[in-house]
Amino acid sequence: GAVVSQHPSRVICKSGTSVKIECRSLDFQATTMFWYRQFPKQSLMLMATSNEGSKATYEQGVEKDKFLINHASLTLSTLTVTSAHPEDSSFYICSARLAGGWGDTQYFGPGTRLTVL
Amino acid sequence: EDQVTQSPEALRLQEGESSSLNCSYTVSGLRGLFWYRQDPGKGPEFLFTLYSAGEEKEKERLKATLTKKESFLHITAPKPEDSATYLCAARGPGTYKYIFGTGTRLKVLA
């Protein structure tokens, strides 16, 4: 249980194009999803918190017009990297929050490797 | 400021050589301490959630413990397939966001 998928797993695009990454919770509903970015040999950097049916909350320094997040249903959140540039190349990982009483746990997707040429 | 610190940064063990990974946290009103395993090029895989001091959880060769200041991930008789980066994260009150440590890269040699 608690499986999260991401699509695509890998994408290569030209500079200036937009790329959409999907994150789905397959066997549970997630009112909250998170988007992270990870650089080589570094830990996860939270980019934004995505809440179903409302606007995403972005972390300081993350451009909301650059990284568009939509959480249209309880099982799907999307991250669109607009007008991508080589510096946007990175490993993007989403997670979905499985709520459980007093506590809760984030379950992560397998990640998407974005390469911008 | 809330913070999570992991040590050591990297650890090399011989197969069968037990050891512990440390996760120190300064989070007031801890709402959960989480351990994940991450393999290269993949997303983190959930291992354990701990909520209160004194709590312990086990899974195969792994055992996680929690005190009021730190958590340990004990690895008993590790195998090469246990090689991965182990991430620790903490959640405080009033937020669903996690504070992640920088991870411990574990290499188990056959």
Side-chain angles (χ1 to χ4, degrees):
Chain A
V3 179
V4 178
S5 69
Q6 262 182 264
H7 178 78
S9 58
R10 224 173 247 281
V11 57
I12 300 173
C13 69
K14 293 182 179 180
S15 185
T17 60
S18 294
V19 174
K20 180 186 282 189
I21 303 170
E22 291 188 349
C23 177
R24 293 181 185 273
S25 55
L26 298 184
D27 52 2
F28 65 100
Q29 294 185 328
T31 55
T32 307
M33 290 184 172
F34 303 86
W35 288 95
Y36 295 84
R37 187 171 178 177
Q38 187 174 37
F39 293 101
K41 295 192 177 181
Q42 292 189 25
S43 192
L44 304 173
M45 184 188 81
L46 180 65
M47 298 174 64
T49 301
S50 167
N51 292 296
E52 187 266 338
S54 63
K55 290 184 178 181
T57 303
Y58 291 82
E59 294 301 299
Q60 192 171 10
V62 177
E63 300 176 59
K64 58 182 66 177
D65 295 330
K66 174 98 178 142
F67 299 99
L68 299 179
I69 292 172
N70 184 278
H71 193 157
S73 77
L74 289 172
T75 58
L76 174 64
S77 177
T78 60
L79 169 68
T80 301
V81 183
T82 62
S83 187
H85 291 285
E87 57 266 29
D88 299 323
S89 298
S90 191
F91 192 51
Y92 292 87
I93 312 173
C94 72
S95 71
R97 172 181 161 258
L98 175 61
W102 190 66
D104 62 80
T105 299
Q106 289 184 31
Y107 290 88
F108 287 83
T112 297
R113 174 75 57 194
L114 170 64
T115 303
V116 185
L117 301 176
Chain B
E1 182 185 348
D2 292 340
Q3 203 167 6
V4 174
T5 304
Q6 290 187 249
S7 63
E9 188 174 313
L11 181 63
R12 290 166 71 94
L13 299 173
Q14 291 293 324
E15 184 173 4
E17 180 186 0
S18 301
S19 188
S20 295
L21 311 183
N22 178 266
C23 171
S24 297
Y25 64 93
T26 53
V27 176
S28 299
L30 184 74
R31 288 294 184 265
L33 190 291
F34 308 87
W35 282 97
Y36 292 87
R37 168 196 170 125
Q38 186 175 26
D39 292 300
K42 297 190 177 181
E45 174 190 347
F46 171 72
L47 293 174
F48 303 109
T49 303
L50 301 166
Y51 292 112
S52 55
E55 190 175 0
E56 298 182 353
K57 288 192 176 175
E58 284 187 73
K59 179 181 177 181
E60 297 180 355
R61 295 178 292 282
L62 300 177
K63 178 181 177 181
T65 61
L66 181 65
T67 73
K68 290 185 177 180
K69 293 184 179 181
E70 57 193 352
S71 177
F72 293 94
L73 184 66
H74 308 277
I75 303 177
T76 302
K79 298 181 178 182
E81 53 262 41
D82 294 323
S83 298
T85 295
Y86 290 85
L87 295 168
C88 166
R91 183 170 83 90
T95 179
Y96 295 125
K97 297 193 292 187
Y98 289 3
I99 302 165
F100 274 92
T102 52
T104 293
R105 293 193 307 277
L106 173 66
K107 178 75 172 178
V108 181
L109 305 172

